Amino acid sequence: MDSQVLVALALSLVGGLSTSLGALFVILNEAPNLKMLGLLQGFAAGLMLSISFLDLAHNAINSIGFLKANLWFFGGVIFFAIIANFIPEPSLAPSSDVKSKKQQKGGDEGGKDTLKKHRRQVLYSGIVTAIGISLHNFPEGMAVFLGSIKGLRVGVNLALAIALHNIPEGVAVALPVYFATQSKWQAFKLATLSGFAEPLGVIIVAYLFPSSLDPEILEGLLGAVGGVMAFLTLHEMLPLAFDYAGQKQAIKAVFLGMAFMSASLYFLEISLPAEMSL
């Protein structure tokens, strides 16, 4: 294997595996209650929406134009909307005080069934988040490879910036999995696996399409990824946040997450040379 590729792989592992640090923050604490889970899911939804609209879709518009970028974006939305119809998903579990009292009167079996519904839905949300974060991490691995080609200093700076940027993403993946499974290992494992998309991006850009892929198609595909992430967030994560934390509190958490990720994306942008972009 080329030494340049090895360096890029090592740097992408530093960035990608920082999702594990985010997972550690989660598993070293007790699983949150439902309201806190809803707030944190709202925050994670803000991260995903910011990546989708202010990063992937924005870059696609700048690169291939408004019309083509929108066609790719909504193509991604429609594609995953069709896929979602074939994915079995649990129904929203009731969260109001009145319904919870009725469940308590129904006995232990009703309470256990309700908890199982909560956990199934939260686990589904965690898997959705892991998919979205993995799709986002993939082009970051490509960026690390291209940055390391320009010089070790550029590659190291970019890898460190991505590492800081990925820690909250690890939290967003691990938190719902930990709540749903009560397994620290499962939460840590899924968050870590989502980070492996970065070294995978290095391998693919280095070996599978080093020069043959049309840049316009690549930008369009990333725009479609933005559409997929937007659909996943609005269809799966946001209803969960509303149900558990309430609409007003969840919306505040969403905008806080968007602001946090926007600041993180800006930090990444200024870490890149002028001729490169994520």
Side-chain angles (χ1 to χ4, degrees), residues 33-43 240-242 244-245 250 253:
N33 59 38
L34 287 177
K35 183 173 182 181
M36 180 57 67
L37 179 72
L39 290 173
L40 291 171
Q41 281 292 95
F43 182 82
L240 183 69
F242 285 172
Y244 293 158

Side-chain angles (χ1 to χ4, degrees), residues 1-276:
M1 188 178 284
D2 189 278
S3 60
Q4 207 167 43
V5 178
L6 284 173
V7 169
L9 270 175
L11 292 175
S12 66
L13 280 170
V14 171
L17 292 181
S18 64
T19 55
S20 301
L21 292 178
L24 283 176
F25 288 137
V26 172
I27 65 178
L28 292 178
N29 295 287
E30 293 183 3
N33 59 38
L34 287 177
K35 183 173 182 181
M36 180 57 67
L37 179 72
L39 290 173
L40 291 171
Q41 281 292 95
F43 182 82
L47 299 180
M48 298 271 281
L49 289 174
S50 185
I51 291 169
S52 175
F53 290 111
L54 304 180
D55 182 25
L56 298 177
H58 172 75
N59 288 342
I61 289 171
N62 287 339
S63 299
I64 61 177
F66 183 84
L67 177 60
K68 289 181 179 179
N70 272 272
L71 289 174
W72 278 101
F73 180 88
F74 286 105
V77 171
I78 293 168
F79 169 77
F80 209 83
I82 294 171
I83 296 295
N85 286 329
F86 299 97
I87 301 174
E89 58 177 295
S91 59
L92 282 171
S95 59
S96 66
D97 291 336
V98 175
K99 290 181 179 178
S100 64
K101 286 178 182 177
K102 288 181 180 178
Q103 288 162 355
Q104 287 174 3
K105 290 179 181 178
D108 291 341
E109 286 187 10
K112 288 179 181 178
D113 289 342
T114 300
L115 185 59
K116 284 180 181 179
K117 287 180 181 179
H118 278 296
R119 287 182 173 171
R120 279 202 305 271
Q121 187 190 8
V122 172
L123 179 61
Y124 184 77
S125 174
I127 293 171
V128 161
T129 306
I131 293 170
I133 295 299
S134 297
L135 292 172
H136 172 64
N137 284 345
F138 179 76
E140 288 181 354
M142 294 181 175
V144 169
F145 175 72
L146 296 173
S148 63
I149 288 176
K150 291 183 176 291
L152 184 60
R153 183 187 63 80
V154 174
V156 168
N157 287 343
L158 183 55
L160 290 176
I162 287 175
L164 293 173
H165 164 81
N166 282 354
I167 290 173
E169 295 179 354
V171 173
V173 174
L175 182 70
V177 177
Y178 182 34
F179 177 88
T181 65
Q182 299 294 300
S183 169
K184 294 182 178 182
W185 167 242
Q186 292 295 333
F188 183 81
K189 181 174 68 175
L190 194 59
T192 301
L193 286 174
S194 70
F196 274 113
E198 286 198 21
L200 182 62
V202 169
I203 293 170
I204 289 178
V205 78
Y207 290 110
L208 296 187
F209 47 81
S211 59
S212 59
L213 187 69
D214 187 341
E216 184 171 310
I217 293 177
L218 177 59
E219 288 294 341
L221 287 171
L222 293 178
V225 167
V228 169
M229 291 179 68
F231 179 85
L232 290 174
T233 304
L234 297 174
H235 188 259
E236 303 299 337
M237 297 176 68
L238 213 51
L240 183 69
F242 285 172
D243 189 55
Y244 293 158
Q247 290 189 13
K248 290 184 178 180
Q249 295 301 318
I251 288 294
K252 291 175 185 176
V254 168
F255 279 108
L256 183 62
M258 291 185 73
F260 186 93
M261 184 54 68
S262 295
S264 179
L265 290 170
Y266 174 74
F267 182 67
L268 275 179
E269 186 69 25
I270 63 176
S271 300
L272 289 166
E275 65 272 19
M276 285 183 65

